[in-house]
Each structure stands twice: as C-alpha cells, then as structure tokens.
Amino acid sequence: MKVLVIGGGAREHALCRSLSLDPDVTALYCAPGNAGIAEVAELHPVDALDGDAVARLATDLGAELVVVGPEAPLVAGVADAVRAAGIPCFGPSGEAAQLEGSKAFAKDVMAGAGVPTARSYVCTTPAEIDEALDAFGAPYVVKDDGLAAGKGVVVTDDLAAARDHALSCDRVVIEEFLDGPEVSLFAITDGTTVLPLQPAQDFKRALDGDEGPNTGGMGAYSPLPWADPKLVDEVLESVLQPTVDELRRRGTPFSGLLYAGLAITSRGVRVIEFNARFGDPETQVVLARLRTPLAGVLLASANGTLDVFPSLAWRDDAAVTVVIASHNYPDTPRTGDPIDGLADVAAQDAPDAYVLHAGTRAEGGAVLSAGGRVLSVTATGKDLAAARERAYTALGRIRLDGSQHRTDIALKAAGG
C-alpha cells in the first residue's frame, strides 16, 4: 500500500513512524513534513489547506490511502476532495469535522446524542457574556467557538481575564467548570463501528505543577494506572458510539479519528471537548503502545470495513512523551535555533527512546527549530517510571538554546 500523510508536526511524525514499520506499506509520502519525517518518508510540498492540490498530489503519487493529520485541513474539507478523486482517505468530511471546528456545533450534537457534558452558553454579545460568567461563577471556562490550535481556552478565577478573552472571540462558549482528572480517549470509526484506542493523559499547562498558560500540550503518558479498568467500555457506550450514531442520523457521518477530551468528575464522566483528529502529544504515546500494524486499521476506517477488522493488539509497555518547546512558547516563539544531540539519542537510546519532530526544518545539514513545540521525546518501558526515566535521559542529550520543557510529566502517575 502506498500511503500519503498530510501535515508536518509531531503527530504526523508519530503516524509516519508507525506506518514506516508496517510491512504492508510499500511507499510512504508526507506533505509537507519536517526534518524528522524526512528520515522515514519521502517529502513533497503542498498547501495542506488546498483540497484540490492534496488530491492532485495523491493522484500523482498513486497513493492508495491518504491520512490527513491536522484539524485545519479537515475542517477545510480536504478529505472530501481526496475522496472525490476516488482515493480512500482517513479523516472526516468538512461537515463532520465541525465537531472540532465549532464548539457550539459539538454541544448541539452532544445534546442530540444524550452525551454527558458541561452546561454551557453560546454567547455573541457582551451582555450574553456577562450573564453567562455571572451564572457559572469562578473558575471561569471560556472557549473560542472556532479552531484555535488547542490554545483558545481560558480557565481562570480572574473575571476580567475571562471577560477579555470572551470579548476577543466572535462567538464564544462559556461553560461550567468540571472537576476531576482529565483523560484523552481516541477512537477510530468508519461512521458506524467505533474502535476505541488506549486512554492517555496530556499536560496542557506550560509549567511544572500545571502552572502557567495553556499550550497545545507539553507531554503525555499511557496507560493510566489510576483509571477505572471499565473506563474505555463506559466511554464507548455513553460518549463515542452515541456521538457517531447521532452524526450519522443527521446525515453527516463521521469517519476517521474521534478524540474525546474527558473529565472524570465526582458526578461521572463528562466530555470537555471533541477533536476530529489524532491529538498531539497523546498520539505519540498511544501509537508507541499499539502492536497492530497501523495502515490496515486506517484503511478499514476509510473503506467502512471496521466491523470485520480484528481486535486491536497492545503492548504491555508504558509510554511517556515530553515536549521540548522554543523560547517564549506559547507566546510568539523564537525560531531558527540549531538543535544538537539528535544523533546521540539515536545512537544511545534507540529503540526504547526516540525523538519525534514537531517544529523543525533542515538547512545546510543542520536541523533548526521552526515552531513553538519543537520536539517530542518519546520512550517506552515496563512501567511508567521506567518509560519516564528513559524519556528524560534521552531529553538530556538534546541541546536547543532557550528551550523549555516540563520536568513532571507522568511523575505523579509513576508514583513520584
């Protein structure tokens, strides 16, 4: 099978790494990719938001499966253009991707499906904003209705800060605060059958101890030793399957990756948000634990044959990923700094630890930073403590001037 992956972040590097290890994949392409992905896939330039351009590239390459990684191309309808060209595509239609593209749409779907979530108001005027903030009180949860790359959410006790963020959005969802730990659960679906993956937990705040501003994610781990063993079955029954059924009932079937961000509250599981694609950095740890070859299950989703696909097989190992971010992230990051030590990790830590590239570019034989989140250092081990130790040992070999990372990823879950 010839596979084309669209995107250029650490999620796409994780996908390409897994696909490169799949014996059924005879050729692997990525567009536009990054410096790390170039080691496992042939890179091609493309405007990832231009569905016609992506479809033309896939046709020219003879791709038999296209995997769309990021949310913006999915919301822009890139998967529709690929399917219109007669090529199987892993990823929802532009209409179904509104589950991530619009918080208000997602709330409406959840209401129709009877999915448990936070009470909320959709606001478009200052008066509505003030009324909603007053109704819920602190801590305030304010979400930009549209795509914001994981950074459109403010959770704060500061009423003025909450109001300022709300006023900066064209349309905003204000909702009640959900107590309890958060869990990310991915599921692969073909619009009818839903195949849940293993749960993970990510770390949104920039600094240790969950301090600092929200980010796209600073690290993740899987499995969750503290979670109820029945959690996946419960979420499949109460959240994932009803949502897929409701979207199909509405005439907008969802095929691809359905991501549920969950809060395990004192009143039970509640949905914080849905995403329409693999999450970053949780993908890095979930795919590190997946034993089933990846291409076949993605193709079964694209072809509508998940009902006859064998059960997924998982490694017993735990996995931890730690993000190395640029100076000043999540504000405007400094880029163009050289990255050293990548070869040292490959020589001394592989295959138990490896580096996935997020924001990098190659220039004259050097690898330079090219984004806010630059690298994801990922490791596996017999338990979380072992995986965590390997990840931080490998991270210690990497040098990027001004970089930052959290030192407490998976620390509490590993018993630290």
Side-chain angles (χ1 to χ4, degrees):
M1 190 192 320
K2 296 180 178 179
V3 183
L4 168 63
V5 176
I6 302 300
R11 162 187 47 229
E12 288 76 36
H13 194 175
L15 288 164
C16 285
R17 179 182 182 273
S18 290
L19 289 165
S20 74
L21 299 173
D22 186 333
D24 288 337
V25 175
T26 54
L28 181 59
Y29 311 102
C30 187
N34 63 38
I37 295 173
E39 296 175 10
V40 294
E42 182 180 299
L43 302 191
H44 291 267
V46 79
D47 177 356
L49 296 175
D50 185 337
D52 291 338
V54 171
R56 276 196 306 273
L57 175 62
T59 301
D60 291 346
L61 293 172
E64 294 154 289
L65 173 66
V66 175
V67 179
V68 183
E71 60 271 28
L74 290 167
V75 172
V78 167
D80 302 273
V82 172
R83 279 192 276 268
I87 301 170
C89 186
F90 180 81
S93 66
E95 207 174 349
Q98 286 302 311
L99 199 63
E100 176 170 4
S102 167
K103 303 288 190 298
F105 175 80
K107 288 288 187 183
D108 190 55
V109 170
M110 284 188 267
V115 167
T117 186
R119 293 179 297 121
S120 63
Y121 295 102
V122 179
C123 307
T124 55
T125 68
E128 289 173 347
I129 288 167
D130 289 339
E131 188 177 339
L133 291 171
D134 182 59
F136 288 131
Y140 305 101
V141 181
V142 184
K143 299 181 176 182
D144 191 331
D145 181 52
L147 288 180
K151 296 187 282 290
V153 179
V154 166
V155 181
T156 179
D157 290 320
D158 185 335
L159 176 59
R163 190 171 189 274
D164 286 347
H165 181 63
L167 290 170
S168 73
C169 307
D170 290 334
R171 189 158 80 146
V172 67
V173 175
I174 296 173
E175 62 184 40
E176 68 174 327
F177 177 76
L178 296 174
D179 65 322
E182 295 184 13
V183 173
S184 300
L185 185 62
F186 302 161
I188 292 172
T189 178
D190 57 10
T192 302
T193 301
V194 182
L195 212 56
L197 306 186
Q198 290 291 306
Q201 186 172 56
D202 78 331
F203 294 74
K204 287 289 188 202
R205 300 284 187 167
L207 306 176
D208 284 3
D210 293 326
E211 300 289 334
N214 259 349
T215 71
M218 295 298 291
Y221 69 92
S222 179
L224 312 182
W226 50 267
D228 187 326
K230 300 190 293 291
L231 175 66
V232 173
D233 290 339
E234 180 188 337
V235 174
L236 175 62
E237 185 179 325
S238 67
V239 173
L240 299 171
Q241 191 71 56
T243 300
V244 168
D245 292 345
E246 173 68 11
L247 284 163
R248 190 177 65 252
R249 187 188 67 77
R250 290 173 176 231
T252 54
F254 186 107
S255 75
L257 195 290
L258 179 58
Y259 165 129
L262 309 164
I264 313 301
T265 77
S266 54
R267 293 174 294 139
V269 173
R270 297 287 184 272
V271 175
I272 301 169
E273 65 176 354
F274 282 124
N275 291 336
R277 39 72 195 181
F278 278 104
D280 182 347
E282 300 98 319
T283 302
Q284 288 87 302
V285 292
V286 172
L287 292 186
R289 299 186 59 224
L290 180 64
R291 190 186 296 278
T292 300
L294 185 60
V297 66
L298 300 187
L299 184 65
S301 164
N303 286 341
T305 57
L306 277 179
D307 59 326
V308 294
F309 195 84
S311 298
L312 297 178
W314 296 91
R315 295 184 176 88
D316 292 332
D317 283 0
V320 171
T321 194
V322 184
V323 170
I324 298 177
S326 292
H327 176 72
N328 206 43
Y329 177 78
D331 292 327
T332 305
R334 193 176 81 203
T335 59
D337 289 310
I339 302 166
D340 296 313
L342 296 172
D344 297 336
V345 175
Q348 299 182 55
D349 302 292
D352 297 319
Y354 47 88
V355 180
L356 298 168
H357 292 229
T360 67
R361 61 183 173 88
E363 186 177 292
V367 176
L368 307 180
S369 63
R373 291 186 295 174
V374 182
L375 304 168
S376 287
V377 182
T378 304
T380 55
K382 69 180 189 319
D383 54 28
L384 285 174
R388 194 184 124 78
E389 182 178 351
R390 284 173 173 166
Y392 279 104
T393 297
L395 184 146
R397 305 190 203 282
I398 296 170
R399 295 171 296 284
L400 171 61
D401 187 48
S403 67
Q404 53 177 314
H405 66 272
R406 284 184 56 160
T407 65
D408 62 347
I409 303 299
L411 179 62
K412 191 185 295 184

